[in-house]
Amino acid sequence: MKRLKAVPRWFARRFGYARVMCLLLLVAFAALRVADPPPVQEFRLRTFDSFQAFSPRPKTIRPVTIVDIDEKSVSDPKLGQWPWPRTRIAEIIDQLTRMGALVIAFDVVFAEPDRLNPALAAETFPNLDETTRERLKALPSNDQVLADALRRSRIVLGETGSPEPRADLDMTLPVTGFAMLGDDPIPFMQPFPGLLRNVPVIEHAAAGRGLFTIPPERDGIIRRVPMIMRAQDVTMLALSFEMLRVVTASDTVLIKTAEGGIVSLGLRGFQIPTDGNGKIWVHYAKHDPSIYVSAIDVLEGRVAPEKIAKKLVLIGPSAIGLNDIKTTPVDPAMPGVEVHAQVLESVLTGSILTRPYWGIAVEFGGAVVLGLLVILFAPRLGAITLVAVGGLFASALLGVSWYFYTQQRILIDFTYPMLSTTAVYLTLIFANFVREQEQRRQMRSVFGQYLSPVLVEQLADSPPKLGGEEREITVMFSDVRGFTSISESYKHDPQGLTQLMNRFLTPLTNAIIARKGYVDKYMGDAIMAFWNAPLADKDHQLNACEAALDMLDRIDRVNGEREDEAAHGGHVYIPLKVGIGLNTGIGVVGNMGSDLKFNYSALGDSVNLASRLEGQTKEYGFPIIVGAATAMAVKDRLAILELDFIMVKGKSEPEVIYAITGREDVMHSERFQLLRNLTIEMLAAYRSRDWDEALAAIARGRKKDEAKELEKLFDLYEERIRAYRQNPPPEDWNGAHALTSK
């Protein structure tokens, strides 16, 4: 069990927790696509809408004409308000039949007897004489007149699904034959509890009957129209599909089904692909006013014959108040009768859109492949490259979908793989952001105590290579001279000793930080610091030397304050004296320590030499001693004095060391020039083994009041010369002195 638990942890550590989270997100998106909740469906459908809006179906032929129950017709006194007398509708049918209409369909239902039937009028008007009343009753009803007109033509009547079943449903009408290939299709059909039919005399006279009910999507847009439905336990074809059945004289409709539902519907000469519920995706063209003719114009004979001849004719309303306006992907307000016309045009021109069963597999595969590619390669790519590659993938997805739509009339959803991949990509970005913020927090935590706030922010914005790297650095070691004896005076006052250390370490640290230095560590009263890491500093040698001079100035101020306090407090004053060693060279910088505790530090020979130089400040009598590389970098900006040529244990080559005695004003002073000349004379004679001349130069120097700070240096060389006179150096001696003390 422990082994099983260890596997995810190992995997997460090996590949990164962000990638593991993205894999889980990819699985979650796959599950979401399988569940396919309504919001996901609507997003997909909106994508398909945009395709049709950008590229609607082009119209090359116009096989359908709409006889429009429009404002013009209902305003004409000959027809009046809807519903019109069915005798007038019979006249329109006869006129269309004479003009050569192939089939005529009604996008309206005649569910009740005509209110202007002669027999009904005979009962309605009380002042009629009996002769007139009897003559009216003897006349055929308007419904019969319409039925007779229906028999003279090929008419498809419209019926509608209703929310409530009807007890008086006529079940004696002719039934369309259905042949089934596959599973029972009824469970997949669009259901309606009830069925509203025309009055029986009209129904029995028609060549066919179909449902004109078009259920919209959840958002009210008509995208798919059912071609076969189930209303009050009666299997019904759609109005448009029934028109095709009648015009092709097909007695039977072939229904093909598969495990997922209905696949297609077949008529003589037509095989129409559908979705699982028997619906077709309508390939819409823009609203086309040219296929409309006004009903009153048909009745008055004002319509060109070619508008009707050999056309499928739909009769339906567009007039305001008849409430048959639909929203489609290409038009927010299209008359419902035109939707039926669009269906017919799509079928007759072979332009039906399809969404095949393998489309989901393509979408799934695209989402998984793209998601895995992002998970594998996104962390390795730069931001610009990643955006470019992401744009390329998005363009490819859109291009493939667009190709299938425009060239194959196949609907492939590119939004699912794009959303899935984008979610994975954004998760990686967020994880990187969180990781960077954590790194910045760690940077501030690790470096905040040792760098200035400005440098810490720069470091957080541009993190260094914390794993370890070689870099030229200038290293500083500082120490308080005689601090052991000073601390003895605080033997019984630990609080006072702590305050004293804080009192001088604070200004010394501030001097380093102010000059862009990094404080590595405190070792009691000693400080280790370095420059040019973790942040690059092209003037690191000068900044280190300036920091050393600032430290001397600040310790002088601290001593002045302590001296005043000692005078007023009546206790002994012991001044603080600082020795500083500086050296420039290649060092290794990075996080060093253990898994539990580490520190950003530096290692190398250059670090060791800086430590040795700090230890020599008490021997040479100068508070700041630097290596040759440091001195040569600042020789034009600061006052430097050559002190010695030394051999440090562990190094094969000797090193010239220098003292920093002041800034540029000191460098140009006569006093400094005097000191410089004295040391040059002494060192030249000493390295030439001219002991007498070296001692003479020292003697001249001791007579100069300006050369008091060279006293310790003079003492050191006098002692060496005495030793060499007794034990001369070897013949190959180059003037280097091997250090014996740290």
Side-chain angles (χ1 to χ4, degrees):
M1 189 67 181
K2 291 182 178 178
R3 176 67 178 164
L4 291 175
K5 289 182 178 178
V7 171
R9 292 196 190 98
W10 171 86
F11 186 84
R13 285 196 299 269
R14 176 67 178 81
F15 294 98
Y17 285 96
R19 283 174 168 166
V20 173
M21 184 165 48
C22 288
L23 285 174
L24 295 176
L25 186 64
L26 207 57
V27 173
F29 262 89
L32 184 67
R33 181 62 184 84
V34 170
D36 205 22
V40 174
Q41 295 179 34
E42 289 178 14
F43 196 81
R44 179 170 64 249
L45 294 175
R46 292 287 184 174
T47 301
F48 297 155
D49 290 349
S50 65
F51 282 0
Q52 296 214 57
F54 280 118
S55 180
R57 173 175 55 83
K59 277 202 173 188
T60 54
I61 60 173
R62 289 170 171 77
V64 182
T65 294
I66 295 173
V67 174
D68 195 6
I69 304 172
D70 56 2
E71 293 293 334
K72 177 181 178 182
S73 299
V74 298
S75 300
D76 190 282
K78 193 170 185 177
L79 289 174
Q81 293 182 343
W82 181 265
W84 297 330
R86 287 174 191 164
T87 52
R88 293 297 189 191
I89 296 174
E91 292 178 36
I92 293 173
I93 290 174
D94 288 338
Q95 179 72 349
L96 293 172
T97 303
R98 285 192 296 271
M99 295 177 74
L102 293 176
V103 63
I104 303 168
F106 283 91
D107 186 28
V108 293
V109 62
F110 305 107
E112 297 175 351
D114 190 347
R115 67 179 187 275
L116 297 179
N117 278 331
L120 183 61
E123 299 295 334
T124 302
F125 299 108
N127 296 325
L128 290 176
D129 58 78
E130 284 302 318
T131 303
T132 303
R133 193 182 306 275
E134 290 302 323
R135 290 180 63 186
L136 284 173
K137 289 180 179 181
L139 291 174
S141 70
N142 292 356
D143 295 322
Q144 184 62 55
V145 172
L146 178 57
D148 293 340
L150 297 183
R151 290 187 178 93
R152 293 191 292 270
S153 184
R154 285 191 294 188
I155 304 296
V156 175
L157 291 176
E159 299 179 356
T160 183
S162 63
E164 297 293 336
R166 298 182 65 89
D168 58 346
L169 185 67
D170 186 357
M171 302 299 291
T172 64
L173 295 173
V175 178
T176 301
F178 294 100
M180 300 173 190
L181 184 60
D183 298 334
D184 183 5
I186 291 178
F188 304 105
M189 296 178 186
Q190 173 77 45
F192 294 99
L195 177 60
L196 181 62
R197 286 183 154 166
N198 300 275
V199 293
V201 64
I202 298 176
E203 283 281 7
H204 285 272
R209 53 207 54 81
L211 288 183
F212 57 72
T213 309
I214 305 176
E217 310 279 354
R218 276 168 44 96
D219 55 4
I221 297 176
I222 304 296
R223 301 180 183 90
R224 291 171 286 188
V225 175
M227 292 292 98
I228 190 167
M229 291 160 273
R230 191 76 174 168
Q232 199 165 336
D233 298 326
V234 178
T235 300
M236 298 286 297
L237 296 177
L239 181 68
S240 52
F241 197 69
E242 179 70 355
M243 290 177 72
L244 293 174
R245 188 193 69 78
V246 170
V247 80
T248 58
S250 299
D251 296 325
T252 303
V253 176
L254 176 62
I255 307 174
K256 287 185 180 181
T257 59
E259 186 177 347
I262 300 172
V263 175
S264 66
L265 300 175
L267 291 173
R268 185 179 297 170
F270 291 97
Q271 189 72 27
I272 302 173
T274 69
D275 69 4
N277 299 115
K279 299 178 181 179
I280 69 167
W281 291 83
V282 185
H283 195 182
Y284 282 100
K286 285 287 188 182
H287 170 63
D288 185 7
S290 69
I291 67 173
Y292 285 80
V293 295
S294 179
I296 188 63
D297 289 338
V298 172
L299 189 63
E300 296 289 346
R302 295 193 292 263
V303 175
E306 62 271 15
K307 281 280 191 177
I308 305 299
K310 298 182 179 181
K311 296 291 180 73
L312 305 179
V313 177
L314 282 160
I315 301 176
S318 71
I320 298 173
L322 296 183
N323 298 322
D324 192 27
I325 301 298
K326 309 294 184 183
T327 300
T328 71
V330 299
D331 199 314
M334 179 179 287
V337 66
E338 188 173 348
V339 174
H340 298 295
Q342 297 266 6
V343 170
L344 289 168
E345 289 176 350
S346 296
V347 172
L348 293 171
T349 58
S351 299
I352 296 174
L353 297 175
T354 59
R355 180 156 167 75
Y357 66 91
W358 50 262
I360 296 178
V362 171
E363 295 159 11
F364 257 101
V368 171
V369 170
L370 291 179
L372 291 176
L373 288 175
V374 170
I375 292 170
L376 288 174
F377 295 107
R380 305 179 187 178
L381 301 177
I384 296 177
T385 304
L386 192 58
V387 170
V389 172
L392 184 63
F393 276 129
S395 300
L397 286 171
L398 180 59
V400 169
S401 296
W402 185 253
Y403 167 80
F404 275 112
Y405 167 71
T406 56
Q407 304 302 315
Q408 306 295 325
R409 293 184 295 279
I410 294 175
L411 297 174
I412 300 293
D413 177 23
F414 76 93
T415 58
Y416 165 64
M418 184 176 290
L419 285 176
S420 176
T421 306
T422 302
V424 169
Y425 171 61
L426 292 177
T427 300
L428 284 173
I429 290 179
F430 178 74
N432 288 339
F433 173 77
V434 171
R435 184 167 59 250
E436 288 177 4
Q437 290 299 107
E438 178 62 18
Q439 287 179 348
R440 291 186 179 188
R441 188 194 65 77
Q442 291 178 356
M443 289 287 180
R444 294 185 180 98
S445 174
V446 172
F447 295 104
Q449 304 175 52
Y450 311 115
L451 288 170
S452 69
V454 174
L455 293 181
V456 171
E457 289 304 318
Q458 291 180 17
L459 198 61
D461 290 336
S462 302
K465 297 176 182 177
L466 296 181
E469 61 177 326
E470 283 192 343
R471 186 182 289 194
E472 184 184 66
I473 55 175
T474 298
V475 185
M476 170 191 283
F477 280 87
S478 74
D479 193 15
V480 175
R481 297 280 166 252
F483 189 73
T484 302
S485 60
I486 295 174
S487 62
E488 285 293 324
S489 62
Y490 291 90
K491 188 173 183 179
H492 302 292
D493 185 11
Q495 292 292 336
L497 180 61
T498 302
Q499 290 176 1
L500 175 64
M501 290 187 66
N502 292 338
R503 188 169 183 180
F504 69 77
L505 287 176
T506 297
L508 297 184
T509 300
N510 290 340
I512 294 169
I513 291 176
R515 295 288 183 175
K516 301 182 179 179
Y518 169 70
V519 177
D520 184 331
K521 60 177 68 74
Y522 298 102
M523 300 159 287
D525 59 308
I527 301 174
M528 175 184 172
F530 50 84
W531 280 256
N532 203 35
L535 286 175
D537 179 8
K538 62 184 179 63
D539 297 320
H540 55 95
Q541 302 97 331
L542 179 61
N543 283 328
C545 294
E546 290 280 8
L549 292 169
D550 290 344
M551 291 167 72
L552 297 183
D553 293 339
R554 297 190 185 209
I555 207 69
D556 285 343
R557 287 197 290 272
V558 172
N559 281 331
E561 295 169 359
R562 292 179 61 248
E563 186 175 11
D564 290 342
E565 292 168 3
H568 289 88
H571 52 263
V572 178
Y573 162 67
I574 304 175
L576 299 170
K577 296 182 180 180
V578 177
I580 302 171
L582 292 169
N583 186 53
T584 299
I586 300 298
V588 176
V589 294
N591 277 334
M592 300 174 192
S594 69
D595 290 340
L596 299 176
K597 184 175 177 61
F598 61 86
N599 181 46
Y600 189 80
S601 188
L603 293 174
D605 288 342
S606 58
V607 178
N608 297 332
L609 182 56
S611 176
R612 298 296 294 275
L613 294 180
E614 178 273 319
Q616 296 303 309
T617 56
K618 57 181 178 292
E619 302 294 332
Y620 289 90
F622 285 91
I624 305 174
I625 296 181
V626 302
T630 308
M632 292 303 98
V634 301
K635 62 185 177 62
D636 296 328
R637 303 287 298 274
L638 300 176
I640 63 172
L641 284 178
E642 183 178 349
L643 298 180
D644 205 350
F645 193 39
I646 62 173
M647 178 67 72
V648 179
K649 184 177 180 180
K651 292 192 67 175
S652 59
E653 295 294 329
E655 177 90 9
V656 179
I657 63 173
Y658 299 82
I660 302 291
T661 64
R663 295 183 170 85
E664 197 167 357
D665 57 334
V666 175
M667 181 176 65
H668 295 299
S669 67
E670 292 183 6
R671 177 175 174 278
F672 173 73
Q673 295 301 322
L674 173 65
L675 298 180
R676 184 170 176 273
N677 292 335
L678 285 172
T679 56
I680 290 174
E681 292 174 15
M682 179 192 70
L683 291 173
Y686 170 78
R687 291 168 184 166
S688 301
R689 304 186 188 211
D690 189 349
W691 313 125
D692 291 335
E693 181 57 34
L695 291 174
I698 291 173
R700 289 194 300 274
R702 290 189 187 278
K703 294 177 181 179
K704 304 286 187 180
D705 291 337
E706 296 89 342
K708 292 297 181 183
E709 61 184 299
L710 297 179
E711 283 296 330
K712 274 203 170 187
L713 185 66
F714 291 157
D715 291 343
L716 182 146
Y717 276 95
E718 282 181 342
E719 183 179 348
R720 286 187 194 174
I721 291 171
R722 285 194 295 270
Y724 282 140
R725 276 180 166 170
Q726 293 180 7
N727 297 296
E731 290 299 324
D732 60 351
W733 181 65
N734 59 4
H737 175 73
L739 291 183
T740 58
S741 61
K742 292 186 177 180

